[in-house]
Amino acid sequence: MTKLPYGNKERASGDDGDSGVLVQRETRTKRPPLYKVLLLNDDFTPMEFVVHVLERIFGMSHAQAFELMLTVHKKGVAVVGVFAFEIAETKVGQVMEFARRHQHPLQCTMERE
Ligand code: TYC
């Protein structure tokens, strides 16, 4: 048999090894990243306004909202909740818009968990 200048006879015969059939390699569905929504303290926003924000926008009970407001007041910042990107973005926007409309300097941000 003649020695072929290729590693194997498939290549020498012009077959590139591609059968034309698509092979599914692996399926890896990554969980979407989560985002912490943070509420920041300031010296001017009234406590009751913050409590109202936490009830209305984050669905907390009055007791939960009051407790978290006090945590922010004492510590400077607290995580209000953890959400998928678009939910977190929407809630941050709602807080900022509501505070702006009432002329309070309340700040709300998000960061990747
Ligand atoms: N520190 C504010 C006050 O004494 C109350 C406050 C709490 C403001 C939480 C913002 O995210 C905040 N009136």
Side-chain angles (χ1 to χ4, degrees):
M1 194 176 140
T2 331
K3 198 129 194 318
L4 296 164
Y6 296 98
N8 58 60
K9 59 179 185 310
E10 285 76 31
R11 285 178 193 269
S13 66
D15 184 339
D16 65 359
D18 185 345
S19 66
V21 177
L22 285 172
V23 179
Q24 185 174 343
R25 300 287 173 192
E26 204 180 353
T27 306
R28 277 260 165 274
T29 310
K30 281 193 270 172
R31 282 174 283 109
L34 292 174
Y35 291 79
K36 293 183 282 196
V37 170
L38 308 165
L39 197 63
L40 279 62
N41 187 38
D42 65 75
D43 293 338
F44 306 102
T45 305
M47 290 184 171
E48 272 315 312
F49 183 83
V50 178
V51 171
H52 184 68
V53 161
L54 294 172
E55 290 172 344
R56 285 282 300 274
I57 300 174
F58 295 92
M60 295 181 185
S61 68
H62 188 78
Q64 274 181 316
F66 195 87
E67 195 178 314
L68 189 59
M69 178 280 297
L70 274 187
T71 300
V72 178
H73 177 70
K74 290 185 214 159
K75 302 200 169 193
V77 62
V79 176
V80 182
V82 176
F83 308 95
F85 182 83
E86 286 185 16
I87 310 282
E89 207 187 25
T90 299
K91 292 194 183 287
V92 168
Q94 287 172 339
V95 172
M96 295 301 283
E97 175 59 14
F98 193 51
R100 192 196 60 77
R101 260 177 32 216
H102 290 83
Q103 302 191 337
H104 296 311
L106 183 63
Q107 294 292 308
C108 186
T109 59
M110 60 194 270
E111 67 179 39
R112 204 175 149 162
E113 204 177 42

